[in-house]
Every structure is written in C-alpha cells, then in structure tokens.
Amino acid sequence: MTNTSHLNATSEKPVIQLREASANYGGLRILHDINMTVMPGETLAILGRNGAGKTTLLHALFNMGPTLSGTIEIKGQTISHWPTYRIARLGMALVPQGRGVFQTLAVHESLRLATLAKTSRDKALWSLERIYNEFPRLFERRHSSCAALSGGERQMLALARALLTQPDIIVLDEPSEGLAPLTIDDMLVGKLRFLASEGITLVLAEQNVSMALKVASRAIVLSAGHIVFDGSPQALLDDSALHQQHLGI
Ligand SMILES: Nc1ncnc2c1ncn2[C@@H]1O[C@H](COP(=O)(O)OP(=O)(O)O)[C@@H](O)[C@H]1O
Ligand SMILES: [Mg+2]
C-alpha cells in the first residue's frame, strides 16, 4: 500500500501504464518490453547506472525522441502518437536532466513565463504567490538572473516552473545530479516529500540510490534497457546481490 491509502483502492486506476513498451533510437533498441504501472500518489524511483535507459524511459512517456512500440497510457489515454505538448496538458510535467532553465531571464520572468502555459485544470492550485511562499529562496532571488543561481536554487526553480503548469504528475530526471550532499538532504528531499504529501505523483530517475530511496514508495531498477527489479525500497535495500550487479559503481 502506498501513501494513497486514503483513496478508495478499488476505484484507483493507474496514471501511467506501459505494456510491452520498447523504444528505439535509429535502428537501435534501447528499452526492451517494459511493463510498468504507476498508481496515483506514488513516488516511483527509476534507478540504474549511467546509460541504463532512464532518460529514454522518461522521454518515452512524453513521446520526446525515441521511436516507440507497445502501449503507453497516461491517465488512460494511449499517447504513443501524440505531440509532447498534448501529453503535458494531461497534467504531467517534466523537469529535464540539467534542469532546462533559461539562463538569460530573471527568476521572476522565468516563473511568469511558466504561468502562461495552457493547463488541463480550470482552477490554478499553484499561483506565483503560493510558489514564493513554498520557495522563499526564489522570492529572495526573484530579481537575479537564472544564470547566477546555485545548483540547488536552479533545481528549485525548475520544480517551481513545473508546478506552475498545475500538474498532478511530475517526472524528474536526475534532480540530485551535481548538487552538494547537504543541498540534496536539506532542499531536494524535503521538497519532494512535500510534493508527495500534496498528492502529486512523482516519477524520479536517479543514479543516487540512497537519495531516491529516501523519498520513493516504490523502486524500479533498469539495466541495459530491461527492468530487473520492481518492488519496495526495503526489498531493494535487502537485495545486496542485485544492488551490486545493477547499481554498484
Ligand atoms: N538521442 C539518442 N540517440 C541515440 N542513442 C541514444 C540517444 N539517447 C540515448 N541514447 C542511448 O540510449 C542508451 C540509454 O541512454 P539514457 O536513456 O540516456 O540512459 P540513462 O539516462 O540511464 O543514463 C545509451 O546507450 C545511450 O547512448
Ligand atoms: Mg539520463
């Protein structure tokens, strides 16, 4: 059972479902027959070494790049041939690897731009005011250039921009990459736990296993484009052989 136990379990439908999904770049198969389900409110960690296929899997969810086969459903809609913007409007936001923040804008401008995106909801849950309340550091830095932000601040900005599109699913690609250990513990883990407590479904690709397992309710391990584990964080921690074979450096 996940932290969605307050919901009626019988009425729950997956928000993300992949059946025999494969992804190719050119003629090269990167992901092989992926079966994966994400329930509303889950925090799913997708773990694996560099090159395992984590980013390709996240991009497949948004039909961003790889050629797809099999079935990928987001909120019950088969999205394989949809353009990325239309998938995002289902209420799913991507925080890309490297954070995808415009360098030349001021923080406030960058956030205001994000509020202009067309969303799936009539009523905005996340206003600029609420963002500044939850991310006081961004309020302090609102007149700074995005290029002047620290790595942690930039990750917070990327998260805030995602929230302003009013998503109920946020997909994050290696959010801890390049951050100092203290920043990961103080800032990132806390914010991700907060978002999960707000009921947002999180899908988190990470090489940083210990960080990811601090927030995840479930974990998947990818190895050379195959799922080699799908289960609880505790079961993964207990499986030291799998840990060494597929996650060790
Ligand atoms: N645009 C692309 N064109 C061709 N091959 C790619 C492309 N993107 C990724 N790959 C290949 O797919 C494999 C998985 O990469 P990726 O999904 O980025 O892994 P990860 O995010 O787990 O580090 C790697 O072998 C990589 O070289
Ligand atoms: Mg990657």
Side-chain angles (χ1 to χ4, degrees):
M1 203 34 103
T2 67
N3 60 358
T4 59
S5 51
H6 60 287
L7 298 173
N8 178 356
T10 56
S11 71
E12 274 191 306
K13 294 202 178 83
V15 285
I16 298 173
Q17 182 147 47
L18 278 66
R19 289 192 210 92
E20 303 294 315
S22 295
N24 284 42
Y25 276 118
L28 199 62
R29 178 149 296 193
I30 308 292
L31 295 178
H32 306 262
D33 303 322
I34 301 290
N35 291 298
M36 173 179 127
T37 300
V38 185
M39 299 305 286
E42 275 195 300
T43 298
L44 174 68
I46 297 175
L47 306 171
R49 288 197 183 102
N50 195 21
K54 302 181 296 298
T55 297
T56 304
L57 177 54
L58 301 192
H59 284 184
L61 301 179
F62 288 86
N63 194 17
M64 260 173 85
T67 308
L68 306 173
S69 61
T71 311
I72 301 180
E73 286 180 11
I74 309 294
K75 295 187 178 173
Q77 308 267 358
T78 303
I79 55 81
S80 316
H81 301 290
W82 289 24
T84 299
Y85 73 86
R86 190 171 164 214
I87 300 169
R89 278 186 200 160
L90 289 172
M92 185 166 73
L94 176 67
V95 178
Q97 193 161 10
R99 286 138 215 170
V101 166
F102 290 117
Q103 299 279 332
T104 52
L105 297 178
V107 168
H108 192 65
E109 292 169 326
S110 174
L111 290 171
R112 277 211 16 237
L113 261 187
T115 66
L116 302 178
K118 195 166 172 205
T119 69
S120 57
R121 293 189 208 227
D122 308 332
K123 194 167 151 280
L125 280 175
W126 290 92
S127 62
L128 211 47
E129 290 68 32
R130 187 168 179 216
I131 288 291
Y132 280 142
N133 260 327
E134 294 296 342
F135 300 86
R137 188 72 188 140
L138 293 181
F139 182 72
E140 288 164 27
R141 300 286 264 149
R142 67 193 180 283
H143 300 303
S144 303
S145 152
C146 295
L149 298 181
S150 71
E153 289 167 346
R154 203 170 292 185
Q155 188 61 58
M156 290 305 107
L157 177 61
L159 249 187
R161 285 176 49 84
L163 284 169
L164 285 167
T165 68
Q166 318 300 328
D168 43 33
I169 309 169
I170 302 184
V171 176
L172 301 104
D173 199 353
E174 303 221 24
S176 78
E177 193 180 30
L179 300 187
L182 263 181
T183 309
I184 293 173
D185 284 341
D186 291 353
M187 208 184 239
L188 186 61
V189 167
K191 278 292 176 262
L192 294 178
R193 283 186 179 149
F194 165 70
L195 296 178
S197 76
E198 289 281 302
I200 295 177
T201 307
L202 298 173
V203 178
L204 176 74
E206 265 298 341
Q207 282 191 68
N208 185 334
V209 176
S210 66
M211 177 267 152
L213 295 187
K214 280 182 189 159
V215 297
S217 55
R218 189 159 61 90
I220 277 177
V221 178
L222 271 182
S223 184
H226 294 270
I227 290 183
V228 295
F229 174 91
D230 183 347
S232 71
Q234 192 56 51
L236 178 57
L237 288 169
D238 290 344
D239 193 339
S240 56
L242 182 119
H243 221 267
Q244 252 179 354
Q245 194 182 347
H246 298 293
L247 297 170
I249 297 161

